[in-house]
Each structure stands twice: as C-alpha cells, then as structure tokens.
C-alpha cells in the first residue's frame, strides 16, 4: 500500500480492512486526491490519472492547482477560507488536462483532522460534469436565443402596430383633409358674396340713415305742423330703435361672416396638399389655425388662455404638427365636463421651441401614464376612441427630433409639454 495512503488510513483510526478501503478508493468512479495541510498532493486514485492524463509520479508532491482550475477564480479563496476553518466546501472548477483539454468537475473538499482537532490533510472528490455543463450551456444558449427571438418578435410586432396605426391615421387625416377642402370650397363662395353684400348694405344703410335724419330735420324746421302729425306714428313704429338696432345687426353679421371666413381659411390651411412637405413656418400661426379648427369642441366647456411668445420659424411639417395640437386639444376638451380652462403657451429657449398645453380636466391615472403613447391604448369607453391619437402624436414629434412629455394628477388635470429643436440634425450627432 502507498505509504501516504497508509498514513491517512491510520489517522482515520477506522476499523475497516485497509485493503478493502484501498480498493474502494482506487476503484471509485470519482476522482479522488489527498493533499497535505498546505495543498501538496500526496495521493491520487486511478480515476484521477484516467481523467487528467497525469501519471501519479507527475503530480505527487505538487500543488493541487496543477490542473490550473482551482486558482483562476475568486472561488479558490472562498474554498481555502472554508476548508482552513475546518468546514467542507463544494463547488465547480473548470480544470485543464495534461493534453490542454478543459473539463468541468464538481468538487467536494473536506479537511481531515487529528485527535487534537488540527488539520493534517484535505480530501478531494471530483465528479466529471463536462457533459452536464455542455447541456446546461446549450440550454442557456437556447433560452437566450429564444428570449432574443421573443424580444425581436415583440419589437417587430410593436413596430408593425405602430406602422399600421400611422397608416390608419394618415388615411383618416387624408379623408378629413379632403372633406375639409370640400366644405371650405362649398362655403367659400356663398360666404364671399354674403360678406360683400353685408358691407354694401352697411354703406347703403348709413346713407339712408343720413338722408332720413336730414329729411326729418327739414320737416321739423319748414313744416312743423306735418312733423307733429307724423311724430306719433314715428314713435309707434320705433324708428329710432330700428335705426340703432339695424346698425348693430349689420355689424354683428359682418363680424359673423368674418369668423366664417377665418374658419374656411383654417380648413383650407388644414387640408392644403402643398403642406405635406417640410417648410419654414411660425408655430404660433399653426397653433392659431388649429385652435380655430377645434374651437367648437372647446367653447361650450372651457375658456382658452393663450400666451404665445416670439418664435423663430421652424423647418417642419405643419400639417403633422397641427395634427398633434389637434389631438391634445380635443383630448383636453373631452377631459373637461364644464367650467374648464385650457392654457396654450409657446416660448423659445436656447435652440428649442417649447409648446405646453394645460387643462384642469379629469387627469390621467398614474398606472396609465406610462402607456399613454402606446398604439391602441385608450382610457375611453368602447367606440369613443381608437387609441391612435397620442401614439401618432408621439411618432410625429420624434420624427421632428423632439420630445413630448406629460404630467397629470387624477382629478386635477394634465400638462403636455412638446419640445422641438430648431436644428434636430445637430442633436442627433
């Protein structure tokens, strides 16, 4: 028997036959080695030789890290800390055979103590788990690929939904644009001659009024008897009231026709085909036109405050930005039941234009804020919203190199902040 193993067996003080014990160790399917108290190998079994390719005389007396696996990770320090304290340690090593081939082992290393409790040796038992590790790595790789594929599919699905929503919204806006153009054309001609006729009528009425005043003055001065006869009838017919009220009626009608003319102009601007491309525009004008279009949605529920600062022209697609403002303003109006207030502000800060639209409506629940720009997400009842408006608005602002941010308190209202860079190509560098 190997003297080192015999010494080890003697130290165990076992009653088992030493020959039987040696056979068990030598024929074990596990790699077994024994070191002294500082880690020098004093015994290896046949399985160790078979697995590592090292002959016994090549490893005896050498440090156990000859396999170049134990000292290559922070686990080695942890192992020595454990076994030096008299505790057993278990872990995995990526070892290296004599021929340079790497293999995985699951190691169990236990301290051996004498009758005084002093550590004299260490017993190591290694199980070859290379095949298992390869299966695990293959499984991990498969899982990683599956996760990556699922992520890609999710991204593609989101991209598809976004593209579909943009197409639907563009078709919708194109249809609305055509309708607006048709309505504007149909209204433009009649409101044109109505306005012209009212202006003419205003001139005629003023001349008739001047003539009537002159006529009555002459009758009073030259034929006072006749004036006294017609005076009661004049009072009965309320001539003074009719003259005054007719002037007010003509003024109000002219004002109304002018408002209709502005609405028609806004419709034409909204539907204009030549605005499909980027151009230099004043966003305040774009806001004013948009407010004119959606005013009917706002005026019965809310007051509107405008604080529009001096803005430099922005190279943008005004029709698309008008669509963003329309979506936000209509949502603000729909969030208000009555006696509301909507504030629209614009300002120029450094190299950006900032637009804020604030309302004191019902607000948005915190759990919905993160999803507000998702395609097809809506908090409205079925049939009242498609969930496309805000996602399209987000895409349009991103397309212009900007950002859109929302702050909201449930029951208190919402603030949409739109930041549009004057030079988006520089920010993308």
């Amino acid at each position: 028997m190997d003297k080192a193993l015999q010494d080890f067996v003697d130290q165990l003080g076992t009653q088992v036959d030493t020959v039987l014990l040696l056979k068990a160790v030598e024929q074990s399917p596990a790699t077994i080695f024994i070191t002294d108290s500082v880690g020098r190998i004093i015994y290896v079994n046949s399985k160790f030789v078979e697995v590592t390719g090292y002959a016994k005389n090549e490893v005896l007396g050498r440090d156990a890290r000859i396999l170049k696996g134990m000292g290559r990770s922070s686990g080695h320090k942890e192992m020595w800390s454990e076994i030096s304290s008299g505790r057993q340690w278990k872990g995995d090593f990526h070892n290296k055979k004599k021929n340079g081939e790497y293999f995985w082992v699951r190691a169990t290393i236990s301290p051996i103590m004498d009758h005084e409790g002093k550590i004299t040796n260490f017993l190591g038992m290694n199980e070859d788990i290379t095949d298992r590790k390869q299966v695990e790595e293959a499984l991990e790789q498969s899982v990683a690929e599956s996760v990556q594929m699922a992520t890609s599919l999710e991204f593609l699905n989101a991209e598809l939904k976004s593209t579909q929503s943009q197409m639907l919204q563009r078709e919708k806006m194109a249809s609305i644009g055509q309708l607006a153009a048709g309505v504007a054309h149909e209204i433009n001609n009649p409101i044109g001659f109505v306005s012209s006729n009212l202006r003419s009528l205003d001139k005629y009425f003023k001349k008739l009024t001047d003539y009537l005043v002159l006529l009555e003055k002459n009758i009073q001065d030259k034929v006072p008897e006749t004036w006294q006869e017609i005076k009661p009838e004049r009072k009965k017919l309320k001539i003074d009231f009719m003259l005054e009220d007719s002037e007010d009626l003509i003024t109000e009608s002219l004002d109304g026709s002018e408002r209709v003319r502005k609405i028609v102009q806004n419709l034409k601007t909204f539907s204009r085909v030549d605005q499909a491309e980027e151009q230099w525009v004043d966003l305040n004008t774009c806001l004013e036109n948009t407010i004119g279009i959606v005013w009917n949605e706002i005026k019965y529920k809310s007051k509107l405050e405008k604080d529009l600062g001096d803005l430099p022209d922005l190279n943008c697609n005004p029709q698309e930005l008008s669509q963003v403002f329309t979506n936000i303003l209509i949502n603000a109006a729909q969030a208000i039941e009555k006696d509301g207030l909507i504030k629209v502000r614009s300002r120029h800060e450094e190299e950006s234009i900032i637009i804020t639209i604030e309302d004191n409506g019902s607000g948005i629940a915190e759990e919905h804020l993160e999803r507000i720009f998702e395609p097809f997400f809506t908090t409205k009842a079925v049939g009242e919203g498609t969930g496309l408006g805000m996602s399209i608005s987000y895409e349009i602002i991103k397309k212009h190199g900007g950002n859109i941010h929302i702050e909201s308190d449930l029951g208190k209202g919402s603030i949409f902040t739109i930041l549009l860079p004057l030079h988006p190509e520089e920010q993308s560098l």
Side-chain angles (χ1 to χ4, degrees):
M1 178 186 294
D2 187 289
K3 183 178 184 303
L5 182 58
Q6 180 63 60
D7 292 342
F8 168 67
V9 172
D10 291 343
Q11 290 170 12
L12 289 178
T14 180
Q15 300 301 315
V16 180
D17 182 76
T18 55
V19 176
L20 178 61
L21 179 60
L22 178 60
K23 287 182 179 180
V25 172
E26 281 294 319
Q27 296 176 19
S28 171
T31 298
I32 298 176
F33 63 93
I34 301 172
T35 73
D36 60 18
S37 60
V38 294
R40 288 189 295 267
I41 298 174
I42 63 172
Y43 172 78
V44 294
N45 70 348
S46 299
K47 190 66 176 179
F48 182 98
V49 174
E50 177 187 337
V51 170
T52 66
Y54 286 99
K56 288 187 177 184
N57 62 349
E58 291 179 308
V59 295
L60 293 178
R62 300 184 64 177
D63 191 281
R65 284 179 289 179
I66 187 175
L67 300 179
K68 302 182 186 297
M70 295 182 178
R72 300 195 309 161
S73 68
S74 59
H76 181 254
K77 292 182 180 180
E78 179 187 342
M79 176 200 73
W80 270 108
S81 175
E82 287 291 302
I83 62 178
S84 298
S85 301
R87 294 186 292 270
Q88 186 183 77
W89 180 89
K90 293 183 179 181
D92 295 346
F93 285 126
H94 200 197
N95 286 343
K96 188 177 182 181
K97 298 181 181 181
K98 183 180 179 180
N99 62 7
E101 179 185 345
Y102 282 93
F103 66 106
W104 281 97
V105 295
R106 181 149 295 165
T108 301
I109 301 176
S110 306
I112 300 171
M113 304 176 187
D114 60 16
H115 62 282
E116 295 179 351
K118 180 182 178 182
I119 297 175
T120 59
N121 300 89
F122 295 104
L123 171 66
M125 299 182 65
N126 295 342
E127 176 190 1
D128 191 336
I129 59 169
T130 303
D131 292 341
R132 188 188 309 174
K133 279 287 187 180
Q134 289 175 347
V135 171
E136 289 176 358
E137 290 175 357
L139 181 59
E140 288 176 1
Q141 178 67 21
S142 178
V143 170
E145 290 175 355
S146 297
V147 170
Q148 184 178 3
M149 184 177 295
T151 303
S152 299
L153 287 173
E154 186 177 351
F155 174 78
L156 290 172
N157 187 46
E159 196 173 51
L160 178 60
K161 282 185 176 182
S162 177
T163 302
Q164 288 175 334
S165 66
Q166 290 184 53
M167 290 176 64
L168 287 171
Q169 190 72 356
R170 284 183 185 134
E171 290 176 4
K172 175 183 173 183
M173 296 306 294
S175 299
I176 292 174
Q178 291 176 355
L179 178 62
V183 171
H185 177 74
E186 292 298 324
I187 294 177
N188 197 47
N189 289 334
I191 200 61
F193 62 71
V194 167
S195 297
S196 178
N197 290 346
L198 283 170
R199 284 191 290 271
S200 298
L201 180 61
D202 185 42
K203 293 178 183 178
Y204 298 160
F205 181 76
K206 288 177 179 177
K207 289 180 180 180
L208 283 172
T209 301
D210 292 342
Y211 175 75
L212 184 59
V213 170
L214 179 62
L215 183 62
E216 287 184 346
K217 187 176 185 304
N218 277 289
I219 292 174
Q220 291 179 46
D221 293 342
K222 297 180 180 180
V223 193
E225 299 84 2
T226 303
W227 173 250
Q228 293 301 321
E229 291 178 6
I230 63 175
K231 186 176 180 180
E233 188 66 20
R234 185 182 186 279
K235 184 176 181 180
K236 179 181 177 181
L237 295 174
K238 300 181 179 179
I239 298 300
D240 287 337
F241 171 76
M242 286 193 296
L243 290 174
E244 184 179 346
D245 194 45
S246 295
E247 185 177 353
D248 290 341
L249 291 174
I250 292 173
T251 301
E252 289 176 2
S253 298
L254 283 169
D255 181 61
S257 66
E258 178 61 19
R259 288 171 63 185
V260 173
R261 187 194 68 78
K262 287 182 178 179
I263 291 173
V264 170
Q265 184 61 42
N266 288 338
L267 286 171
K268 290 170 69 177
T269 300
F270 180 78
S271 62
R272 195 168 295 157
V273 176
D274 61 6
Q275 287 192 340
E277 299 299 328
E278 289 188 352
Q279 56 186 279
W280 292 93
V281 297
D282 181 356
L283 281 190
N284 284 338
T285 302
C286 189
L287 280 167
E288 294 279 14
N289 289 337
T290 304
I291 291 170
I293 292 293
V294 302
W295 179 241
N296 199 56
E297 290 280 341
I298 298 174
K299 63 182 180 181
Y300 298 112
K301 295 181 177 181
S302 173
K303 294 180 181 179
L304 180 71
E305 290 184 0
K306 293 183 291 184
D307 179 14
L308 307 182
D310 293 331
L311 303 179
D313 287 351
L314 178 70
N315 187 28
C316 64
N317 186 316
Q319 188 179 28
E320 289 186 342
L321 291 181
S322 178
Q323 181 180 338
V324 173
F325 303 148
T326 299
N327 290 337
I328 297 175
L329 286 168
I330 288 179
N331 281 349
Q334 291 175 344
I336 295 171
E337 292 187 7
K338 61 179 181 179
D339 301 328
L341 177 63
I342 298 175
K343 299 178 182 179
V344 180
R345 301 186 184 91
S346 66
R347 61 187 185 275
H348 173 213
E349 290 187 3
E350 296 180 350
E351 292 301 308
S352 298
I353 291 175
I354 299 175
I355 308 292
T356 59
I357 300 176
E358 179 181 356
D359 68 75
N360 61 349
S362 58
I364 302 168
E366 185 177 355
E367 63 267 22
H368 295 154
L369 278 176
E370 293 183 358
R371 302 187 59 197
I372 204 70
F373 297 116
E374 288 183 13
F376 304 107
F377 175 78
T378 178
T379 58
K380 298 175 183 176
V382 176
E384 293 185 6
T386 62
L388 295 175
M390 296 316 302
S391 64
I392 292 297
S393 298
Y394 180 84
E395 292 297 331
I396 289 173
I397 297 302
K398 285 297 182 182
K399 174 183 173 182
H400 283 77
N403 285 301
I404 180 169
H405 174 69
I406 179 171
E407 300 174 52
S408 187
D409 288 324
L410 197 61
K412 295 183 179 180
S414 304
I415 303 175
F416 281 85
T417 302
I418 300 169
L419 186 147
L420 294 165
L422 294 174
H423 307 288
E425 66 282 355
E426 293 181 4
Q427 295 198 5
S428 63
L429 294 178

